[in-house]
Amino acid sequence: MLTSYITNEEREFALELLDFINESPSSFHTVESIKKILIPHGFQELRLTEKWPLIPGGKYFLTRNDSALIAFIVGLGMPEKHGFRIIGVHTDSPSFRVKPLPEMLVEGHYLKLNVETYGGPILNTWLDRPLSLAGRIILRGKTPFSPELKLFRSDHPLLVIPNLAIHMNRKINEGIELNKQKDMLPLLTQVTKNLQKEGILLEHLAKALHCPPENILDFDLFLYDNDKGCLAGLQQEFISSGRLDDLAMVHAGTFALTQSKPTLMTQVLVCFDHEECGSTSQQGAASPFLSHVLERILLAQKKDRETYFQALAHSFLISADMAHALHPNAEVKHDPVIHPILNEGPVIKISANQSYTTDAASGAIFADLCQRVGVHVQKFVNRSDERGGSTIGPISSTHLDIQSVDIGNPILAMHSVRELGGVKDHLAIAKVFSEFFKDL
């Protein structure tokens, strides 16, 4: 009988991640899932529109656009000497967003939805899967400037993006280019006598929310894979799920912060939105969201702007996004020497052209944190003739003068509707994050 090398603790923590991902089909739901973890651990919600009565050791969080969140524990020491310890992650994942007036009639028989690609999904992985809708719906409020916001997720599969049969496309296995406007529109329903052809989606949403259709002013709705994630592999050593990028880091960072005790420095978890499409929004890493919150934390403690800049000089940011593992069928796509492996520990991401913020000093700090908790650390670089991706680290560095490192757990099939990670890696990174939030 084969004995698994996955411990019960690692397995249970991976299952907790799968539950978290299942409850977080959109960035709006992700923020709600984080809040459900924070509040029972004593974190109090703050409003951007109000003054903040912060106390040393106090636990707080705030949101922006219902899709980004910053949580923190106020430090017990002098901020100008101890600064901030920050973990940065993102709440969004590649998907498809429903366009306004989305119903499209096909020869009087089918209704499909008009959608727009969000981020950079691997298109063919979305075909022939049971898909659902999730996001938020905006309802009429008391005034135009106080609309009512409601979370929405369909409770059963609603959509399928059907493939074209091989008999009608004989070269399909030789590789084809999918057109985002023509080939990636999901089938919603079949037209029948009792089914209206216009406004059917709005009617469905209104029925789910128990409100008149005319009360729905707008919506932010995205497609997601309705199939739940699971453990896989002969030893159940793999995590197979959508949205591992970047909800695995969101979950681990939230866990680490809730398990932390107040320390001399202020511990911060920042969950940005819109990383997958450039971060250039009010709640993205390219916004002043984080810098303003950090400054307000010090202003609430009667500190001045000079103290703020001193605090930044004593601070450190871990930009936590997922990394590329060695692909078993595409070794040639990787650097010839450096090969991150699933279940071998977190990955320090390095780029000579500053696609990542890591340098020798910040990478060494993270490697030492891993060593202190007995976690093996790996490194990633792109092939010299391949252009890799980037993440929130370099974007945040253009707004905040803070030493930073880019890291992440290794996964396969990044940006697929179903990604593959390692069970051991998830608990490992949570241990490193917890160590990072300690007084050292």
Side-chain angles (χ1 to χ4, degrees):
M1 182 178 177
L2 184 67
T3 302
S4 175
Y5 77 125
I6 303 299
T7 67
N8 287 335
E9 185 183 12
E10 290 166 339
R11 182 178 184 276
E12 289 303 315
F13 196 57
L15 291 175
E16 288 179 19
L17 169 62
L18 289 176
D19 288 340
F20 179 83
I21 292 175
N22 184 56
E23 293 299 316
S24 309
S26 74
S27 56
F28 308 106
H29 289 82
T30 298
V31 165
E32 192 65 22
S33 296
I34 299 169
K35 290 167 64 174
K36 288 179 180 178
I37 298 174
L38 294 175
I39 292 172
H41 285 87
F43 284 79
Q44 304 173 50
E45 186 166 8
L46 301 172
R47 307 288 180 185
L48 287 167
T49 55
E50 300 172 356
K51 292 196 69 173
W52 296 354
L54 307 185
I55 60 172
K59 302 178 179 181
Y60 307 95
F61 72 91
L62 63 149
T63 65
R64 169 163 281 171
N65 190 51
D66 302 309
S67 62
L69 178 146
I70 296 178
F72 58 93
I73 302 175
V74 180
L76 302 176
M78 299 172 64
E80 60 267 37
K81 291 187 176 181
H82 301 285
F84 304 96
R85 296 268 178 88
I86 308 167
I87 295 175
V89 297
H90 64 88
T91 61
D92 61 322
S93 300
S95 180
F96 298 85
R97 179 174 175 169
V98 179
K99 292 182 178 180
L101 304 175
E103 295 93 347
M104 298 177 68
L105 185 63
V106 182
E107 295 192 3
H109 296 290
Y110 301 122
L111 273 178
K112 58 185 180 181
L113 291 186
N114 196 9
V115 297
E116 181 179 5
T117 305
Y118 176 83
I122 302 178
L123 298 179
N124 65 351
T125 64
W126 287 78
L127 302 178
D128 305 320
R129 302 190 68 89
L131 304 174
S132 295
L133 289 175
R136 67 175 179 180
I137 300 173
I138 315 300
L139 302 178
R140 193 182 312 278
K142 294 180 179 179
T143 74
F145 294 97
S146 58
E148 186 179 358
L149 280 55
K150 292 283 189 180
L151 289 182
F152 171 82
R153 69 179 294 176
S154 52
D155 56 5
H156 62 276
L158 281 180
L159 307 156
V160 175
I161 306 174
N163 230 316
L164 185 62
I166 193 170
H167 313 84
M168 300 177 183
N169 187 4
R170 291 292 183 180
K171 295 186 177 181
I172 190 170
N173 290 328
E174 298 175 22
I176 63 167
E177 182 179 356
L178 293 169
N179 183 283
K180 295 176 183 178
Q181 182 61 67
K182 182 177 73 71
D183 300 319
M184 301 307 298
L185 303 184
L187 177 64
L188 175 63
T189 192
Q190 191 166 1
V191 176
T192 59
K193 288 183 179 179
N194 298 324
L195 188 72
Q196 65 184 60
K197 299 179 180 64
E198 295 181 4
I200 187 172
L201 179 61
L202 210 61
E203 287 285 347
H204 175 76
L205 299 177
K207 184 177 179 181
L209 296 180
H210 307 288
C211 72
E214 56 268 22
N215 280 9
I216 297 178
L217 300 177
D218 210 339
F219 50 75
D220 295 308
L221 292 177
F222 297 82
L223 274 60
Y224 74 96
D225 181 12
N226 191 74
D227 285 341
K228 294 182 179 180
C230 65
L231 302 186
L234 186 63
Q235 303 176 81
Q236 297 285 277
E237 67 267 50
F238 303 130
I239 304 173
S240 173
S241 176
R243 305 185 301 284
L244 286 176
D245 174 17
D246 190 32
L247 297 194
M249 297 295 97
V250 174
H251 179 258
T254 304
F255 171 83
L257 187 65
T258 57
Q259 301 303 306
S260 297
K261 296 179 180 178
T263 57
L264 292 174
M265 73 282 182
T266 295
Q267 305 135 306
V268 182
L269 172 70
V270 54
C271 307
F272 290 115
D273 192 10
H274 296 144
E275 188 275 344
E276 299 294 357
C277 58
S279 296
T280 54
S281 69
Q282 194 179 23
Q283 50 277 355
S287 75
F289 183 35
L290 177 59
S291 61
H292 285 181
V293 169
L294 297 182
E295 186 169 5
R296 286 191 65 175
I297 291 172
L298 297 194
L299 290 173
Q301 300 176 74
K302 310 301 182 185
K303 303 294 183 178
D304 57 21
R305 192 162 176 78
E306 184 175 9
T307 302
Y308 171 64
F309 287 117
Q310 288 178 285
L312 294 184
H314 287 285
S315 299
F316 195 92
L317 167 68
I318 294 179
S319 169
D321 206 348
M322 304 305 271
H324 297 294
L326 175 69
H327 196 289
N329 299 329
E331 300 96 324
V332 69
K333 288 294 185 179
H334 297 264
D335 179 85
V337 176
I338 300 173
H339 296 159
I341 304 297
L342 298 178
N343 287 310
E344 290 290 325
V347 178
I348 299 173
K349 300 190 287 187
I350 303 165
S351 169
N353 295 312
Q354 299 303 298
S355 295
Y356 306 119
T357 59
T358 307
D359 58 22
S362 64
I365 290 171
F366 184 80
D368 194 28
L369 288 170
C370 293
Q371 187 175 15
R372 291 175 69 95
V373 291
V375 168
H376 181 254
V377 67
Q378 307 183 83
K379 293 186 178 181
F380 171 82
V381 292
N382 287 294
R383 278 180 58 103
S384 298
D385 55 357
E386 290 280 355
R387 179 182 178 273
S390 188
T391 184
I392 62 173
I395 297 171
S396 296
S397 293
T398 63
H399 296 271
L400 283 170
D401 185 15
I402 292 180
Q403 189 177 20
S404 176
V405 65
D406 271 286
I407 62 95
N409 275 346
I411 59 171
L412 294 169
M414 187 181 293
H415 287 200
S416 170
V417 75
R418 193 92 173 188
E419 298 163 328
L420 193 70
V423 169
K424 298 182 76 69
D425 293 330
H426 190 52
L427 182 60
I429 195 63
K431 290 180 177 179
V432 178
F433 286 168
S434 295
E435 187 71 8
F436 175 66
F437 280 145
K438 293 179 180 178
D439 273 324
L440 300 174

